[in-house]
């Protein structure tokens, strides 16, 4: 049976704009017919990948999401002494395993990039550069499927790729199914974006005119956000080639990051560094369920955070009563009530791997 780790978090954000829409305003959603502020799952996952818990805890086991792996190989070949035109041909031969390469731009002949972002592991980058070494030595390049097998891997120790998956349209055999699913975070209560009208003053303007040198406005909002994440721990270990120790490091990093990391939009203007005030971690093999239903009726009252935590607990209990226990064990960190620590949640998450077969 599959073991799932489920994480439910409540985090209070100050006035801020961490994740913007196409108009530069905070992303929003209608939930239960009421307006809410929203953080996209993409922005949350990028914040996790760039967080200190990931960078420090998983150093050497992080991939790069990039369109420029071909340029990386091109620069390597030219630095190795290959003539630029030939180097471009060889770089394209090697890097095409990650996706199609854009046609050469006559105005920028030195530029070289893919048409889509590719998630590249450290090992795969190393294999690509090893092929470049063979090209520099004048050896023949492997062709098509043999080339893909030489460079790409289905499991290679890149924890972020193992968690969040990847898709290679031209080499689907090397796709990875995501072991970690992340919801869009929404405010538990009715919330709308506000407008901040601002001016900027010219420091060198000394003619006595006190008017602003620049006028502008930008949107912001605040609220208590509910975020849900579900980890298929069996798939995580499989994606890491069976390395349970690395999977445990990944789970600990995920817990610490998801409780402390935030999308960084407009952070210089708002200095938002919130930490989750409530975390409910669950372990079990039953079908996962999120607790968004707790907030379809917007939370109200003077203490929105406490009301949100109680609504979440009430909904979890209601579902268990109706469907049977959804998890075998759970652990809670409730900061305002002085209950639990994040370190305890980390260890609880890592203990999921003790339940796996083999």
């Amino acid at each position: 049976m599959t073991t799932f780790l489920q994480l439910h978090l409540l985090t209070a954000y100050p006035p801020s704009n961490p994740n913007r829409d196409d108009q530069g305003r905070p992303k929003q959603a209608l939930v239960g017919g009421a307006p809410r502020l929203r953080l996209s799952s993409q922005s949350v996952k990028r914040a996790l990948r760039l967080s200190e818990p990931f960078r420090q805890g998983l150093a050497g086991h992080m991939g790069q999401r990039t369109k420029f792996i071909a340029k990386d190989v091109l620069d390597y070949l030219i630095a190795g002494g290959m003539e630029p035109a030939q180097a471009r041909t060889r770089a394209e031969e090697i890097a095409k395993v990650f996706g199609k390469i854009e046609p050469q731009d006559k105005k920028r002949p030195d530029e070289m990039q893919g048409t889509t972002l590719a998630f590249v592991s450290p090992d795969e980058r190393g294999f690509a550069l090893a092929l470049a070494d063979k090209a520099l030595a004048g050896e023949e390049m492997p062709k098509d499927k043999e080339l893909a097998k030489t460079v790409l891997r289905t499991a290679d120790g890149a924890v972020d790729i193992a968690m969040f998956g990847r898709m290679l349209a031209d080499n689907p055999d090397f796709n990875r199914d995501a072991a970690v699913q992340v919801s869009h975070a929404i405010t538990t209560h009715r919330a709308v974006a506000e407008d901040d009208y601002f001016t900027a003053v010219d420091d060198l303007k000394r003619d006595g005119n006190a008017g602003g040198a620049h006028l502008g406005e930008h949107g912001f909002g605040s609220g208590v956000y509910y975020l849900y994440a579900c980890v298929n721990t069996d798939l995580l270990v499989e994606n890491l080639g069976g390395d349970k120790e690395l999977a445990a490091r990944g789970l600990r990093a995920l817990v610490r990051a998801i409780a402390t990391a935030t999308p960084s939009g407009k952070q210089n203007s708002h200095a938002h560094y919130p930490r989750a005030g409530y975390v409910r971690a669950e372990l079990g093999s039953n079908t996962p369920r999120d607790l968004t239903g707790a907030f379809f009726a917007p939370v109200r009252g003077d203490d929105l955070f406490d009301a949100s935590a109680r609504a979440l607990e009430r909904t979890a209990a209601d579902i268990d009563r109706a469907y049977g226990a959804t998890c075998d064990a759970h652990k809670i960190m409730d900061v305002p009530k002085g209950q639990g620590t994040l370190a305890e949640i980390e260890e609880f998450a890592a203990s999921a791997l003790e339940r796996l077969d083999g």
Side-chain angles (χ1 to χ4, degrees):
M1 292 190 293
T2 301
T3 298
F4 296 101
L5 166 67
Q6 298 182 79
L7 299 169
H8 309 269
L9 301 100
L10 296 172
T11 305
Y13 274 73
S16 55
N17 188 356
N19 185 207
R20 289 167 278 176
D21 66 14
D22 60 338
Q23 303 297 315
R25 297 171 61 78
K27 289 191 174 180
Q28 302 181 70
L30 273 178
V31 180
R36 315 296 179 95
L37 300 178
R38 175 173 65 93
L39 306 175
S40 73
S41 60
Q42 294 91 334
S43 73
V44 172
K45 285 186 280 190
R46 178 166 173 77
L48 297 178
R49 290 184 59 241
L50 297 181
S51 68
E52 287 302 312
F54 266 56
R55 289 196 293 188
Q56 293 182 6
L58 302 173
H61 297 282
M62 294 285 293
Q64 292 178 311
R65 196 165 218 167
T66 179
K67 288 184 176 182
F68 294 100
I69 185 65
K71 183 68 163 57
D72 204 12
V73 177
L74 174 67
D75 292 343
Y76 187 84
L77 288 167
I78 292 176
M82 187 174 285
E83 186 272 328
Q86 184 185 10
R88 183 180 180 88
T89 300
R90 290 288 178 264
E92 185 166 341
E93 286 178 2
I94 296 169
K96 69 181 182 182
V97 298
F98 296 105
K100 290 184 172 58
I101 308 298
E102 286 190 345
Q104 188 168 11
D105 186 340
K106 293 181 180 178
K107 294 182 179 178
R108 295 178 297 175
D110 294 335
E111 293 298 318
M112 190 176 190
Q113 67 180 55
T115 57
T116 57
L117 286 168
F119 225 156
V120 182
S121 73
D123 284 358
E124 289 171 332
R125 180 180 180 275
F127 292 137
L129 296 183
L131 270 184
D133 282 331
K134 290 186 176 181
L136 287 168
E139 298 182 25
E140 285 291 321
M141 292 289 97
K143 303 296 182 186
D144 300 327
K145 289 186 177 180
E146 194 58 36
L147 177 68
K149 290 179 181 176
T150 303
V151 176
L152 302 177
R153 294 294 183 272
T154 55
D156 51 18
V159 177
D160 50 351
I161 298 177
M163 285 186 172
F164 305 125
R166 76 171 179 190
M167 188 189 77
L168 296 173
D170 294 333
N171 286 296
D173 290 345
F174 298 94
N175 288 347
R176 312 268 180 91
D177 290 332
V180 180
Q181 300 171 338
V182 179
S183 74
H184 289 224
I186 58 162
T187 56
T188 62
H189 50 87
R190 179 185 292 269
V192 296
E194 301 177 64
D195 292 315
D196 177 31
Y197 170 81
F198 65 90
T199 64
V201 177
D202 188 327
D203 291 344
L204 299 182
K205 190 175 182 180
R206 299 189 179 91
D207 59 3
N209 187 339
H214 174 77
L215 307 177
E217 62 180 15
H218 85 274
F220 68 95
S222 69
V224 178
Y225 286 76
Y226 168 66
L227 176 65
Y228 169 72
C230 179
V231 185
N232 180 329
T233 59
D234 295 64
L235 181 57
L236 178 63
V237 172
E238 179 184 332
N239 284 350
L240 292 173
D243 191 337
K244 287 187 178 180
E245 188 278 331
L246 184 56
R249 286 170 56 188
L251 291 176
R252 290 190 181 95
L254 176 66
V255 167
R256 185 154 291 272
I258 205 168
T260 58
T262 173
S264 59
K266 291 285 186 179
Q267 201 162 42
N268 288 342
S269 299
H270 294 283
H272 57 278
Y273 291 96
R275 297 196 170 196
Y278 180 95
V279 180
R280 177 186 172 94
E282 302 172 331
L283 284 177
S285 54
N286 288 334
T287 304
R289 54 90 178 91
D290 71 89
L291 297 174
T292 310
F295 310 115
F296 259 63
V299 169
R300 301 173 185 271
D302 294 331
D303 189 342
L304 290 174
F305 191 90
D306 185 70
S308 300
R310 295 328 124 207
L312 191 148
E313 287 297 330
R314 191 164 53 247
T315 300
D318 288 347
I319 292 175
D320 282 355
R321 180 193 57 76
Y323 288 86
T326 306
C327 61
D328 302 328
H330 73 274
K331 189 166 283 292
I332 290 174
M333 181 186 77
D334 191 332
V335 175
K337 289 190 173 299
Q339 176 184 0
T341 66
L342 191 60
E344 291 172 354
I345 300 290
E346 287 181 43
E347 291 308 309
F348 179 75
S351 73
L353 303 177
E354 299 169 4
R355 297 166 174 255
L356 272 56
D357 297 329

